[in-house]
Every structure is written in structure tokens, then in C-alpha cells.
Amino acid sequence: MIHSEVHPMDSLIRKDRMPHIWCSGCGLGTNFTCYLEALKKSGIPLDKCVIVSGIGCAGRAPGYTNIDSYHTTHGRAIPFATGLKLANPELSVTIFSGDGDLFAIGGNHFIHAARRNIDINIICINNFNYGMTGGQFGSTTPLGSKTTTSPYGNYEHPFNLVYVAAASGAVYVARWTTIHVRRLASSIEEALLKKGFTFIEIISPCPTNFGRRNKLGEGLDELKYYRNHSIIKHFIDPKEADLTLNGEIIVGKFVDIDKPTFLDNQPDLSQKQDNKVTKT
Amino acid sequence: MCPTITKSHAKDETMEEYWREPLDAAKHKSPTGIVNLIKDRCKSCEFCIEFCPHGILELSDEFNAKGYHPPRVVDGGSCIACRLCELICPEFAIYITETNHDHD
Ligand SMILES: Cc1ncc(C[n+]2csc(CCOP(=O)(O)OP(=O)(O)O)c2C)c(N)n1
Ligand code: SF4
Ligand code: SF4
Ligand code: SF4
Ligand SMILES: [Mg+2]
């Protein structure tokens, strides 16, 4: 073994901001590394790549990425990214943010950006709770789970995110977990290179909050659980891929279709006769 | 090519059922690698240790600057340069330099 001071990913991260804030055993650092690996492999020029997030532990990722990056207000990553893409269509725009940010406070933006087929990529880190604020339940928390705000067990039905994404119109929908590093990295690469609204959900451990209150053990125990209880079922109906606390985890690529994007569908207004200003 | 994983390398019962000796194993030579560690970045999550398919990493008893125990290579452990540890490490703390390469 050799002791070293530099890492092959160092050019893609903001080294001066390391160590990152993520807890030991958190899945976020691994998920983030898979995103960087995909970014590298995609071959997209880095000066054309942008990463955007809202607020949360997951939302810290852009602050650690050494490309143009935007840490926006809570829930507003999608409208911000939409603006970036429409103003400068040659950019490859990716959102890396949490389940709470994208589907609770930001849920409305999600469904409409998917419906419009805005050409952006969404990577949603689903740790089933609001990690950053102390582990409250949200729109993805499985029935019966204990959180700081559901001490007797959550009694709200959660969203099945891949089903929401597919029903809203996403052209690419996949789910992986933090343990699926290689499949996840290739899936992100595929999404980066795909035109249209893409969605990847990553099931990820939050040992400090969700894991601890539900007796799931350390982050390492959760990764072992994912390894032993994930089933790959490509192209099944995402409706069948509900998640439960301590249940099996269906992963895979569920949707991969092509359809015109928001910009493709926009009429070329400069050609419209009735739009021409006539001088009198 | 696929690294050869034999039962002796499997860390627990559940792994054993996933692996068999590839039929053409004799025709291939595994690549070898050297493990590089940025000790002070490690937070001892043990992801690299648990999931290294050759089981060559273990926790050391040494402390790093943050008070965590970084991993070390077990005596006689040979790295097959699969880079799983590099991809799964949340801290950009471990990476591999390949020393021979006969695949692709
Ligand atoms: C407008 C607004 N409301 C509430 C908050 C408090 N807040 C910060 S992060 C967060 C939830 C984050 O959850 P998630 O997106 O799942 O990210 P995680 O921390 O789990 O990665 C909340 C409610 C805020 N920052 N701004
Ligand atoms: S609170 Fe949870 S999500 Fe946030 S860094 Fe810690 S383990 Fe990760
Ligand atoms: S590359 Fe890493 S995970 Fe693979 S054999 Fe070597 S030490 Fe183990
Ligand atoms: S995966 Fe990285 S942080 Fe975790 S124990 Fe190994 S070197 Fe340390
Ligand atoms: Mg969350």
C-alpha cells in the first residue's frame, strides 16, 4: 500500500472543501463519486456541464463539484435548472438533490418539468427522510417508519418516485441503490447522454437519522441489506416497484423512450408572418 | 474479463451462491494493482473493506488526523485492480494504480 495525497478524482472536486460534511456511513459520498465517474466517462466537455441542487445533505454536492455549480433555495432546483437550459440550450444540466427537496417542497416543479420534457437530468437521493434538519418524515417515508416527527410510525402513504416520474412523462427512469456503484455510474452516464427529462432514484443510507431510528444499523449494514434484498427487474411497470420498510428493493431501468423535448416543440416564432413587426 | 472469485474469498454465506469459477478462467490472468490511500480523508465507514471482492483490506489500529482507523492491506493480499474500493469510497480516500494489464 502506498500513502498518497492526491486522488484521480481531485480535478473534479473542490479539494479545499474536503472533508465533506457527510457522516461516516452516509451513502451520499459514494453516490456523488458515481456521478463524477459518469461525468468523466460521458465525454461531455466539462465547461458545458452544470450541476444544480436545492437544500439538504444531498444538496451539498454542487458545492463540492469543480464545474459550474448552483446551490439554489429549497425545492427550487428544477425551475432554476429549467431556466439555465432554456437560456443556454447547449448546456448539459444535471440536478443532484434529495427526496424532500425534489418531491415534498419541490414536487410540483418535478411533475411539470417532466410533463414538458425539459432536457435536464435529475438524480434524486432517496434516504426516506429530511436528513439535514434532523430526520423528519416526508413524502417518501415508508409506512410505519419511525422518524423525529413520526415517533409512533409514519401513517402517510409514500410516493413511489419511479412511478411518479414515469407517469409525469420522464423519457428515462431508473432506480439503483448506493451499493450498485457500477450499474449506477453507467446509468447516470446513459442519462447524461440522453435527450429529454431523465430521472434516476438512488436508495441511500442515512444512518444518522433514518437508519438509527429504524434500527437499520450502520451505513455498512444498510449496504449489505441492499446487496441481499435488491432485485433487478428492467422495464417492469414502475407501478409494481413500491418500496416498504424492510422489504425487497426493485431496481433497474424502467423507462427509456424518445419524444420531442420542450425546445423541440417550440415553434420558430421568427418565421411566423403575424409576428413580424410592420413599420408604418 | 471477470475476476476469479473462489469460495475462500467469499466473506459470508450469501456471497457464495453468487459466484462460480468462470469456465475460461485458466485462459486469463487477473490484472494486479497497488492500493493507494489518502489516510487523513478516511472516515472508517468500512465500505471498501466489506466489499473488496478479494477481501484484502482490513481496519488498521492506527488513528488518522480525524481519529478514524484507515484501512490497510492484509498480509499477502493481492489486489486485482477491479477499482470497486475506489468507486465505493465516499471520501475520495482510496484508489488503485494498475501494475499489469492483459484484459481488453
Ligand atoms: C423554504 C425552506 N423550508 C424549509 C427548509 C429547511 N430544510 C432544509 S433541508 C430540508 C429537507 C431536506 O431533505 P432532503 O431533500 O430529503 O435532503 P437530505 O438532507 O435528506 O439529503 C428542509 C426541510 C429550508 N431550508 N427552506
Ligand atoms: S444526516 Fe443522514 S443524509 Fe445527512 S450526511 Fe448524515 S447520514 Fe448523510
Ligand atoms: S481494486 Fe480495491 S476492491 Fe478491487 S481487489 Fe483491489 S483493493 Fe480490493
Ligand atoms: S471506503 Fe474510504 S472512507 Fe470508508 S473505510 Fe475505506 S478508505 Fe475509509
Ligand atoms: Mg432526504
Side-chain angles (χ1 to χ4, degrees), chain A residues 28 55-59 74 98-102 105 127 129-133:
Chain A
L28 280 164
I55 305 296
C57 294
H74 194 28
D99 51 314
D101 186 70
L102 289 165
I105 188 170
N127 54 16
N129 76 144
Y130 302 161
M132 175 158 273
T133 44

Side-chain angles (χ1 to χ4, degrees), chain A residues 2 4 20 22 24 30 227, chain B residues 12 35 37 43 82 88 90 95:
Chain A
I2 297 175
S4 166
H20 52 57
W22 298 321
S24 172
T30 305
R227 180 187 65 194
Chain B
D12 63 28
V35 180
L37 187 76
K43 289 185 193 159
C82 68
I88 209 167
Y95 67 94

